[in-house]
Amino acid sequence: NGRFMAVGRNSSGAPTLCLSWDGVTWDIMATPSGSSALCDIAYGERTWIAVGMNGTVLYSTDSGNNGNCVYQYWTKLPYTGITRTEELCAVSYAYGNFYAASSANKLWISPSDIKNNPWSAMTTSGVVLKSIGYGNSKLFAFGSGNESLMYKTDDGINWNNTIFPVCLASLTYGNGKFVGANNTACAYTTDDYS
């Protein structure tokens, strides 16, 4: 939507939210009190969602300003149902919902009204999800437990999983391809979405 957003934490461990219009110059935005370090960010339906440690979920909306809002005001969601012991390491938008990968063997799914309703959880049977990404009408999530697994859905409701060689810690989609990377600096790419 004409903006770049990045999240993380500073040298003291405090959450950091940055905005850029050109990918070169970045502005640091204020985060709500009580927020923890942030791990990932996603955009959908004129809303940004940032997720992170201790179950932190922040949001910023366009508020009907016809795309002119700079998303500089962020709010911590008051109630999500996500516990403070969970690390939310990845988030993506697909099929009208936000999907957040949790360290507690869950995939959290946002309600249509993200501000006032709890999120629902899909358990991942002992698999800790590390990355999630959407593209070409498909949503992928990668995680590890006794073995590395890849989850895939075409509708956000019906999922299937298969064994994958490694657990991808990062996943993105662009120019018709998914690209993922793990912690040993190996990159994987696909354009057949299998």
Side-chain angles (χ1 to χ4, degrees):
N1 68 338
R3 303 166 182 83
F4 295 97
M5 302 289 289
V7 299
R9 61 183 177 184
N10 62 21
S11 58
S12 63
T16 302
L17 261 167
C18 298
L19 165 71
S20 175
W21 296 91
D22 57 11
V24 178
T25 303
W26 292 82
D27 296 316
I28 298 176
M29 293 173 289
T31 54
S33 62
S35 302
S36 297
L38 299 170
C39 301
D40 200 11
I41 190 168
Y43 178 81
E45 294 296 327
R46 299 169 73 170
T47 300
W48 285 96
I49 291 280
V51 300
M53 306 296 289
N54 302 316
T56 294
V57 180
L58 309 180
Y59 75 94
S60 183
T61 63
D62 187 311
S63 301
N65 291 325
N66 298 317
N68 296 319
C69 176
V70 297
Y71 297 94
Q72 62 185 4
Y73 302 110
W74 288 78
T75 304
K76 188 175 181 181
L77 281 178
Y79 178 62
T80 59
I82 303 169
T83 67
R84 287 189 55 81
T85 59
E86 296 182 47
E87 174 189 350
L88 302 177
C89 55
V91 64
S92 187
Y93 178 82
Y95 318 116
N97 296 297
F98 287 95
Y99 294 79
S102 166
S103 61
N105 305 333
K106 296 175 184 175
L107 180 67
W108 287 97
I109 305 167
S110 72
S112 56
D113 179 3
I114 63 169
K115 299 179 185 177
N116 300 307
N117 292 296
W119 292 37
S120 59
M122 182 188 86
T123 59
T124 54
S125 302
V127 175
V128 177
L129 297 178
K130 295 294 185 180
S131 63
I132 187 167
Y134 175 78
N136 196 43
S137 301
K138 299 185 188 302
L139 184 66
F140 287 90
F142 289 84
S144 63
N146 293 328
E147 54 195 2
S148 296
L149 292 178
M150 176 184 74
Y151 291 81
K152 182 177 76 170
T153 180
D154 298 318
D155 56 14
I157 300 171
N158 301 296
W159 293 77
N160 59 63
N161 64 74
T162 57
I163 297 174
F164 199 76
V166 297
C167 177
L168 297 181
S170 180
L171 181 68
T172 192
Y173 176 85
N175 198 29
K177 293 181 182 290
F178 281 95
V179 178
N182 67 1
N183 294 328
T184 58
C186 293
Y188 293 80
T189 182
T190 181
D191 53 12
D192 62 6
Y193 317 115
S194 59

